Structures are given as structure tokens and as C-alpha cells.
Amino acid sequence: MKTRAILISLFVSILSLTFLLNCGDKEKPKEEAAPVASAATLSPEIEEGKKLFLENGCNACHGDTGAGDGAAAASLNPKPRNYKAPANEWKNGPTEAGILKTLNNGIPSNPVMTSYKFLGDEKLKKIAKYVIYLNQN
């Protein structure tokens, strides 16, 4: 009987101590800054590039963040470019000139990545700048 009372007292003490330590106001940990800037912090040119990227369905293959994981990506072979991939994995490089080359000419060996030349130079430059942004963020 004495052992049982001691065990119950010990259990209640441990439970009380646990509640005491885990309750009450605690300093909230500082949240880390998100690696990708929100839309409000994008320059107008990059924001326009994002809009064009979405309007022209680039995200269907390349995904919203450029990871090559868009809704259509699963059924494509070869897989869409992951914009986060190292430079040596890009056909024409992750530079504005390389991206513009791809947008203007498409990738001849890939029938899915066709030319977007019909959009015009100004729009293609904005899309290219957005792709660079995705590559770097």
C-alpha cells in the first residue's frame, strides 16, 4: 500500500513538473527569412516576367518555383528543366543570353520545348529575367 502511494505521488509530481515547464509564456523562436522573396518585393520587370511565365503555361512543365515539377512534368520525357540545376546541366546556360536562345529557338531535340519567339523580344526578356530569378532563389 505504501509503495502504491509513493508511485502515485511520484507520478503526480512528474506530471505537475512537466506542465509547469511546458506552460506559460515562452519567447517565440525567430522565424528564418524565406529564401524566395514574396511577390511584393519583386521588381516590376521580374513581376511582369512572372505573369508572362504563368500566362504562357511555363509553370505547367517547369513548376511554379522552376523545379521542373509542374503538373505535366510526370508525363514528359525528357523531363523539364529544373531551374535550380547547375549551369553545366542547362542546354544553353542559365544566363539571359542562353535563356533567350532557348525561348527564341526552342530545344530542337525536345519537341515539347518549342519556340516562344511569337511573344516578341520585350516579353521574352522579362520571362528570361524571371527564370534567372527562379534559378537564383
Side-chain angles (χ1 to χ4, degrees), residues 36-55:
V36 176
S38 68
T41 62
L42 297 179
S43 72
E45 188 173 42
I46 303 275
E47 187 64 45
E48 181 66 22
K50 178 181 180 180
K51 180 180 168 201
L52 291 164
F53 183 87
L54 297 172
E55 284 176 358

mmCIF file with all atom_site columns, all heavy atoms in Angstrom, residues 36-55:
data_model
loop_
_atom_site.group_PDB
_atom_site.id
_atom_site.type_symbol
_atom_site.label_atom_id
_atom_site.label_alt_id
_atom_site.label_comp_id
_atom_site.label_asym_id
_atom_site.label_entity_id
_atom_site.label_seq_id
_atom_site.pdbx_PDB_ins_code
_atom_site.Cartn_x
_atom_site.Cartn_y
_atom_site.Cartn_z
_atom_site.occupancy
_atom_site.B_iso_or_equiv
_atom_site.pdbx_formal_charge
_atom_site.auth_seq_id
_atom_site.auth_comp_id
_atom_site.auth_asym_id
_atom_site.auth_atom_id
_atom_site.pdbx_PDB_model_num
ATOM 1   N N   . VAL A 1 36 ? 12.738 32.630 -50.872 1.00 0.00 ? 36 VAL A N   1
ATOM 2   C CA  . VAL A 1 36 ? 12.166 33.251 -52.057 1.00 0.00 ? 36 VAL A CA  1
ATOM 3   C C   . VAL A 1 36 ? 11.409 34.485 -51.619 1.00 0.00 ? 36 VAL A C   1
ATOM 4   O O   . VAL A 1 36 ? 10.563 34.424 -50.738 1.00 0.00 ? 36 VAL A O   1
ATOM 5   C CB  . VAL A 1 36 ? 11.222 32.269 -52.796 1.00 0.00 ? 36 VAL A CB  1
ATOM 6   C CG1 . VAL A 1 36 ? 10.560 32.936 -53.969 1.00 0.00 ? 36 VAL A CG1 1
ATOM 7   C CG2 . VAL A 1 36 ? 11.980 31.045 -53.223 1.00 0.00 ? 36 VAL A CG2 1
ATOM 8   N N   . ALA A 1 37 ? 11.715 35.610 -52.206 1.00 0.00 ? 37 ALA A N   1
ATOM 9   C CA  . ALA A 1 37 ? 11.057 36.854 -51.848 1.00 0.00 ? 37 ALA A CA  1
ATOM 10  C C   . ALA A 1 37 ? 9.600  36.799 -52.256 1.00 0.00 ? 37 ALA A C   1
ATOM 11  O O   . ALA A 1 37 ? 9.236  36.160 -53.232 1.00 0.00 ? 37 ALA A O   1
ATOM 12  C CB  . ALA A 1 37 ? 11.744 38.028 -52.543 1.00 0.00 ? 37 ALA A CB  1
ATOM 13  N N   . SER A 1 38 ? 8.764  37.472 -51.511 1.00 0.00 ? 38 SER A N   1
ATOM 14  C CA  . SER A 1 38 ? 7.351  37.500 -51.856 1.00 0.00 ? 38 SER A CA  1
ATOM 15  C C   . SER A 1 38 ? 7.135  38.369 -53.087 1.00 0.00 ? 38 SER A C   1
ATOM 16  O O   . SER A 1 38 ? 7.994  39.136 -53.489 1.00 0.00 ? 38 SER A O   1
ATOM 17  C CB  . SER A 1 38 ? 6.545  38.053 -50.677 1.00 0.00 ? 38 SER A CB  1
ATOM 18  O OG  . SER A 1 38 ? 6.850  39.416 -50.498 1.00 0.00 ? 38 SER A OG  1
ATOM 19  N N   . ALA A 1 39 ? 5.959  38.230 -53.667 1.00 0.00 ? 39 ALA A N   1
ATOM 20  C CA  . ALA A 1 39 ? 5.650  38.970 -54.886 1.00 0.00 ? 39 ALA A CA  1
ATOM 21  C C   . ALA A 1 39 ? 5.770  40.475 -54.667 1.00 0.00 ? 39 ALA A C   1
ATOM 22  O O   . ALA A 1 39 ? 6.117  41.217 -55.580 1.00 0.00 ? 39 ALA A O   1
ATOM 23  C CB  . ALA A 1 39 ? 4.255  38.611 -55.372 1.00 0.00 ? 39 ALA A CB  1
ATOM 24  N N   . ALA A 1 40 ? 5.520  40.933 -53.446 1.00 0.00 ? 40 ALA A N   1
ATOM 25  C CA  . ALA A 1 40 ? 5.582  42.358 -53.162 1.00 0.00 ? 40 ALA A CA  1
ATOM 26  C C   . ALA A 1 40 ? 7.005  42.898 -53.271 1.00 0.00 ? 40 ALA A C   1
ATOM 27  O O   . ALA A 1 40 ? 7.184  44.087 -53.478 1.00 0.00 ? 40 ALA A O   1
ATOM 28  C CB  . ALA A 1 40 ? 5.019  42.639 -51.777 1.00 0.00 ? 40 ALA A CB  1
ATOM 29  N N   . THR A 1 41 ? 8.002  42.052 -53.152 1.00 0.00 ? 41 THR A N   1
ATOM 30  C CA  . THR A 1 41 ? 9.378  42.533 -53.199 1.00 0.00 ? 41 THR A CA  1
ATOM 31  C C   . THR A 1 41 ? 10.027 42.359 -54.574 1.00 0.00 ? 41 THR A C   1
ATOM 32  O O   . THR A 1 41 ? 11.170 42.723 -54.747 1.00 0.00 ? 41 THR A O   1
ATOM 33  C CB  . THR A 1 41 ? 10.246 41.809 -52.149 1.00 0.00 ? 41 THR A CB  1
ATOM 34  O OG1 . THR A 1 41 ? 10.268 40.422 -52.437 1.00 0.00 ? 41 THR A OG1 1
ATOM 35  C CG2 . THR A 1 41 ? 9.725  42.043 -50.748 1.00 0.00 ? 41 THR A CG2 1
ATOM 36  N N   . LEU A 1 42 ? 9.312  41.778 -55.523 1.00 0.00 ? 42 LEU A N   1
ATOM 37  C CA  . LEU A 1 42 ? 9.863  41.619 -56.865 1.00 0.00 ? 42 LEU A CA  1
ATOM 38  C C   . LEU A 1 42 ? 9.855  42.950 -57.596 1.00 0.00 ? 42 LEU A C   1
ATOM 39  O O   . LEU A 1 42 ? 8.935  43.749 -57.439 1.00 0.00 ? 42 LEU A O   1
ATOM 40  C CB  . LEU A 1 42 ? 9.049  40.601 -57.673 1.00 0.00 ? 42 LEU A CB  1
ATOM 41  C CG  . LEU A 1 42 ? 9.018  39.170 -57.158 1.00 0.00 ? 42 LEU A CG  1
ATOM 42  C CD1 . LEU A 1 42 ? 8.140  38.316 -58.058 1.00 0.00 ? 42 LEU A CD1 1
ATOM 43  C CD2 . LEU A 1 42 ? 10.403 38.583 -57.080 1.00 0.00 ? 42 LEU A CD2 1
ATOM 44  N N   . SER A 1 43 ? 10.867 43.164 -58.412 1.00 0.00 ? 43 SER A N   1
ATOM 45  C CA  . SER A 1 43 ? 10.885 44.376 -59.230 1.00 0.00 ? 43 SER A CA  1
ATOM 46  C C   . SER A 1 43 ? 9.736  44.285 -60.231 1.00 0.00 ? 43 SER A C   1
ATOM 47  O O   . SER A 1 43 ? 9.279  43.187 -60.558 1.00 0.00 ? 43 SER A O   1
ATOM 48  C CB  . SER A 1 43 ? 12.219 44.505 -59.966 1.00 0.00 ? 43 SER A CB  1
ATOM 49  O OG  . SER A 1 43 ? 12.286 43.547 -61.011 1.00 0.00 ? 43 SER A OG  1
ATOM 50  N N   . PRO A 1 44 ? 9.265  45.414 -60.748 1.00 0.00 ? 44 PRO A N   1
ATOM 51  C CA  . PRO A 1 44 ? 8.166  45.385 -61.720 1.00 0.00 ? 44 PRO A CA  1
ATOM 52  C C   . PRO A 1 44 ? 8.494  44.521 -62.947 1.00 0.00 ? 44 PRO A C   1
ATOM 53  O O   . PRO A 1 44 ? 7.627  43.813 -63.453 1.00 0.00 ? 44 PRO A O   1
ATOM 54  C CB  . PRO A 1 44 ? 7.978  46.849 -62.104 1.00 0.00 ? 44 PRO A CB  1
ATOM 55  C CG  . PRO A 1 44 ? 8.489  47.616 -60.931 1.00 0.00 ? 44 PRO A CG  1
ATOM 56  C CD  . PRO A 1 44 ? 9.614  46.791 -60.368 1.00 0.00 ? 44 PRO A CD  1
ATOM 57  N N   . GLU A 1 45 ? 9.739  44.557 -63.394 1.00 0.00 ? 45 GLU A N   1
ATOM 58  C CA  . GLU A 1 45 ? 10.137 43.770 -64.562 1.00 0.00 ? 45 GLU A CA  1
ATOM 59  C C   . GLU A 1 45 ? 10.085 42.268 -64.265 1.00 0.00 ? 45 GLU A C   1
ATOM 60  O O   . GLU A 1 45 ? 9.582  41.480 -65.079 1.00 0.00 ? 45 GLU A O   1
ATOM 61  C CB  . GLU A 1 45 ? 11.547 44.178 -65.009 1.00 0.00 ? 45 GLU A CB  1
ATOM 62  C CG  . GLU A 1 45 ? 11.965 43.549 -66.313 1.00 0.00 ? 45 GLU A CG  1
ATOM 63  C CD  . GLU A 1 45 ? 13.285 44.094 -66.810 1.00 0.00 ? 45 GLU A CD  1
ATOM 64  O OE1 . GLU A 1 45 ? 14.221 44.274 -65.997 1.00 0.00 ? 45 GLU A OE1 1
ATOM 65  O OE2 . GLU A 1 45 ? 13.380 44.342 -68.013 1.00 0.00 ? 45 GLU A OE2 1
ATOM 66  N N   . ILE A 1 46 ? 10.559 41.869 -63.090 1.00 0.00 ? 46 ILE A N   1
ATOM 67  C CA  . ILE A 1 46 ? 10.518 40.458 -62.689 1.00 0.00 ? 46 ILE A CA  1
ATOM 68  C C   . ILE A 1 46 ? 9.066  40.036 -62.464 1.00 0.00 ? 46 ILE A C   1
ATOM 69  O O   . ILE A 1 46 ? 8.659  38.937 -62.844 1.00 0.00 ? 46 ILE A O   1
ATOM 70  C CB  . ILE A 1 46 ? 11.352 40.208 -61.408 1.00 0.00 ? 46 ILE A CB  1
ATOM 71  C CG1 . ILE A 1 46 ? 12.789 40.652 -61.590 1.00 0.00 ? 46 ILE A CG1 1
ATOM 72  C CG2 . ILE A 1 46 ? 11.250 38.761 -60.959 1.00 0.00 ? 46 ILE A CG2 1
ATOM 73  C CD1 . ILE A 1 46 ? 13.720 39.675 -62.232 1.00 0.00 ? 46 ILE A CD1 1
ATOM 74  N N   . GLU A 1 47 ? 8.278  40.892 -61.872 1.00 0.00 ? 47 GLU A N   1
ATOM 75  C CA  . GLU A 1 47 ? 6.854  40.611 -61.652 1.00 0.00 ? 47 GLU A CA  1
ATOM 76  C C   . GLU A 1 47 ? 6.137  40.405 -62.985 1.00 0.00 ? 47 GLU A C   1
ATOM 77  O O   . GLU A 1 47 ? 5.331  39.487 -63.131 1.00 0.00 ? 47 GLU A O   1
ATOM 78  C CB  . GLU A 1 47 ? 6.203  41.743 -60.853 1.00 0.00 ? 47 GLU A CB  1
ATOM 79  C CG  . GLU A 1 47 ? 4.787  41.464 -60.425 1.00 0.00 ? 47 GLU A CG  1
ATOM 80  C CD  . GLU A 1 47 ? 4.654  40.301 -59.455 1.00 0.00 ? 47 GLU A CD  1
ATOM 81  O OE1 . GLU A 1 47 ? 5.441  40.226 -58.507 1.00 0.00 ? 47 GLU A OE1 1
ATOM 82  O OE2 . GLU A 1 47 ? 3.758  39.476 -59.675 1.00 0.00 ? 47 GLU A OE2 1
ATOM 83  N N   . GLU A 1 48 ? 6.448  41.220 -63.972 1.00 0.00 ? 48 GLU A N   1
ATOM 84  C CA  . GLU A 1 48 ? 5.863  41.065 -65.312 1.00 0.00 ? 48 GLU A CA  1
ATOM 85  C C   . GLU A 1 48 ? 6.334  39.754 -65.935 1.00 0.00 ? 48 GLU A C   1
ATOM 86  O O   . GLU A 1 48 ? 5.551  39.040 -66.582 1.00 0.00 ? 48 GLU A O   1
ATOM 87  C CB  . GLU A 1 48 ? 6.239  42.251 -66.200 1.00 0.00 ? 48 GLU A CB  1
ATOM 88  C CG  . GLU A 1 48 ? 5.650  42.195 -67.594 1.00 0.00 ? 48 GLU A CG  1
ATOM 89  C CD  . GLU A 1 48 ? 4.136  42.309 -67.657 1.00 0.00 ? 48 GLU A CD  1
ATOM 90  O OE1 . GLU A 1 48 ? 3.519  42.836 -66.715 1.00 0.00 ? 48 GLU A OE1 1
ATOM 91  O OE2 . GLU A 1 48 ? 3.566  41.873 -68.673 1.00 0.00 ? 48 GLU A OE2 1
ATOM 92  N N   . GLY A 1 49 ? 7.592  39.397 -65.736 1.00 0.00 ? 49 GLY A N   1
ATOM 93  C CA  . GLY A 1 49 ? 8.112  38.124 -66.226 1.00 0.00 ? 49 GLY A CA  1
ATOM 94  C C   . GLY A 1 49 ? 7.387  36.944 -65.590 1.00 0.00 ? 49 GLY A C   1
ATOM 95  O O   . GLY A 1 49 ? 7.070  35.963 -66.273 1.00 0.00 ? 49 GLY A O   1
ATOM 96  N N   . LYS A 1 50 ? 7.108  37.055 -64.302 1.00 0.00 ? 50 LYS A N   1
ATOM 97  C CA  . LYS A 1 50 ? 6.363  36.004 -63.605 1.00 0.00 ? 50 LYS A CA  1
ATOM 98  C C   . LYS A 1 50 ? 4.968  35.870 -64.205 1.00 0.00 ? 50 LYS A C   1
ATOM 99  O O   . LYS A 1 50 ? 4.495  34.752 -64.462 1.00 0.00 ? 50 LYS A O   1
ATOM 100 C CB  . LYS A 1 50 ? 6.270  36.330 -62.116 1.00 0.00 ? 50 LYS A CB  1
ATOM 101 C CG  . LYS A 1 50 ? 5.470  35.324 -61.323 1.00 0.00 ? 50 LYS A CG  1
ATOM 102 C CD  . LYS A 1 50 ? 5.395  35.700 -59.861 1.00 0.00 ? 50 LYS A CD  1
ATOM 103 C CE  . LYS A 1 50 ? 4.586  34.677 -59.078 1.00 0.00 ? 50 LYS A CE  1
ATOM 104 N NZ  . LYS A 1 50 ? 4.513  35.024 -57.649 1.00 0.00 ? 50 LYS A NZ  1
ATOM 105 N N   . LYS A 1 51 ? 4.325  36.994 -64.440 1.00 0.00 ? 51 LYS A N   1
ATOM 106 C CA  . LYS A 1 51 ? 2.979  36.992 -65.020 1.00 0.00 ? 51 LYS A CA  1
ATOM 107 C C   . LYS A 1 51 ? 2.995  36.315 -66.400 1.00 0.00 ? 51 LYS A C   1
ATOM 108 O O   . LYS A 1 51 ? 2.154  35.459 -66.691 1.00 0.00 ? 51 LYS A O   1
ATOM 109 C CB  . LYS A 1 51 ? 2.473  38.431 -65.134 1.00 0.00 ? 51 LYS A CB  1
ATOM 110 C CG  . LYS A 1 51 ? 1.103  38.580 -65.711 1.00 0.00 ? 51 LYS A CG  1
ATOM 111 C CD  . LYS A 1 51 ? 0.707  40.044 -65.781 1.00 0.00 ? 51 LYS A CD  1
ATOM 112 C CE  . LYS A 1 51 ? -0.535 40.196 -66.634 1.00 0.00 ? 51 LYS A CE  1
ATOM 113 N NZ  . LYS A 1 51 ? -0.689 41.541 -67.141 1.00 0.00 ? 51 LYS A NZ  1
ATOM 114 N N   . LEU A 1 52 ? 3.967  36.652 -67.223 1.00 0.00 ? 52 LEU A N   1
ATOM 115 C CA  . LEU A 1 52 ? 4.090  36.056 -68.553 1.00 0.00 ? 52 LEU A CA  1
ATOM 116 C C   . LEU A 1 52 ? 4.411  34.563 -68.462 1.00 0.00 ? 52 LEU A C   1
ATOM 117 O O   . LEU A 1 52 ? 3.903  33.752 -69.246 1.00 0.00 ? 52 LEU A O   1
ATOM 118 C CB  . LEU A 1 52 ? 5.165  36.786 -69.368 1.00 0.00 ? 52 LEU A CB  1
ATOM 119 C CG  . LEU A 1 52 ? 4.812  38.211 -69.781 1.00 0.00 ? 52 LEU A CG  1
ATOM 120 C CD1 . LEU A 1 52 ? 6.057  38.970 -70.228 1.00 0.00 ? 52 LEU A CD1 1
ATOM 121 C CD2 . LEU A 1 52 ? 3.753  38.194 -70.879 1.00 0.00 ? 52 LEU A CD2 1
ATOM 122 N N   . PHE A 1 53 ? 5.246  34.185 -67.513 1.00 0.00 ? 53 PHE A N   1
ATOM 123 C CA  . PHE A 1 53 ? 5.610  32.788 -67.265 1.00 0.00 ? 53 PHE A CA  1
ATOM 124 C C   . PHE A 1 53 ? 4.347  31.981 -66.979 1.00 0.00 ? 53 PHE A C   1
ATOM 125 O O   . PHE A 1 53 ? 4.155  30.887 -67.530 1.00 0.00 ? 53 PHE A O   1
ATOM 126 C CB  . PHE A 1 53 ? 6.578  32.750 -66.075 1.00 0.00 ? 53 PHE A CB  1
ATOM 127 C CG  . PHE A 1 53 ? 7.131  31.396 -65.712 1.00 0.00 ? 53 PHE A CG  1
ATOM 128 C CD1 . PHE A 1 53 ? 8.269  30.912 -66.322 1.00 0.00 ? 53 PHE A CD1 1
ATOM 129 C CD2 . PHE A 1 53 ? 6.544  30.637 -64.706 1.00 0.00 ? 53 PHE A CD2 1
ATOM 130 C CE1 . PHE A 1 53 ? 8.814  29.671 -65.957 1.00 0.00 ? 53 PHE A CE1 1
ATOM 131 C CE2 . PHE A 1 53 ? 7.074  29.406 -64.335 1.00 0.00 ? 53 PHE A CE2 1
ATOM 132 C CZ  . PHE A 1 53 ? 8.211  28.930 -64.968 1.00 0.00 ? 53 PHE A CZ  1
ATOM 133 N N   . LEU A 1 54 ? 3.479  32.511 -66.142 1.00 0.00 ? 54 LEU A N   1
ATOM 134 C CA  . LEU A 1 54 ? 2.242  31.823 -65.777 1.00 0.00 ? 54 LEU A CA  1
ATOM 135 C C   . LEU A 1 54 ? 1.224  31.847 -66.919 1.00 0.00 ? 54 LEU A C   1
ATOM 136 O O   . LEU A 1 54 ? 0.597  30.829 -67.219 1.00 0.00 ? 54 LEU A O   1
ATOM 137 C CB  . LEU A 1 54 ? 1.647  32.439 -64.510 1.00 0.00 ? 54 LEU A CB  1
ATOM 138 C CG  . LEU A 1 54 ? 2.507  32.327 -63.250 1.00 0.00 ? 54 LEU A CG  1
ATOM 139 C CD1 . LEU A 1 54 ? 1.910  33.130 -62.104 1.00 0.00 ? 54 LEU A CD1 1
ATOM 140 C CD2 . LEU A 1 54 ? 2.700  30.870 -62.850 1.00 0.00 ? 54 LEU A CD2 1
ATOM 141 N N   . GLU A 1 55 ? 1.068  32.996 -67.569 1.00 0.00 ? 55 GLU A N   1
ATOM 142 C CA  . GLU A 1 55 ? 0.098  33.132 -68.663 1.00 0.00 ? 55 GLU A CA  1
ATOM 143 C C   . GLU A 1 55 ? 0.402  32.203 -69.834 1.00 0.00 ? 55 GLU A C   1
ATOM 144 O O   . GLU A 1 55 ? -0.510 31.733 -70.504 1.00 0.00 ? 55 GLU A O   1
ATOM 145 C CB  . GLU A 1 55 ? 0.074  34.570 -69.191 1.00 0.00 ? 55 GLU A CB  1
ATOM 146 C CG  . GLU A 1 55 ? -0.654 35.543 -68.316 1.00 0.00 ? 55 GLU A CG  1
ATOM 147 C CD  . GLU A 1 55 ? -0.558 36.977 -68.832 1.00 0.00 ? 55 GLU A CD  1
ATOM 148 O OE1 . GLU A 1 55 ? 0.105  37.233 -69.865 1.00 0.00 ? 55 GLU A OE1 1
ATOM 149 O OE2 . GLU A 1 55 ? -1.156 37.853 -68.186 1.00 0.00 ? 55 GLU A OE2 1
#
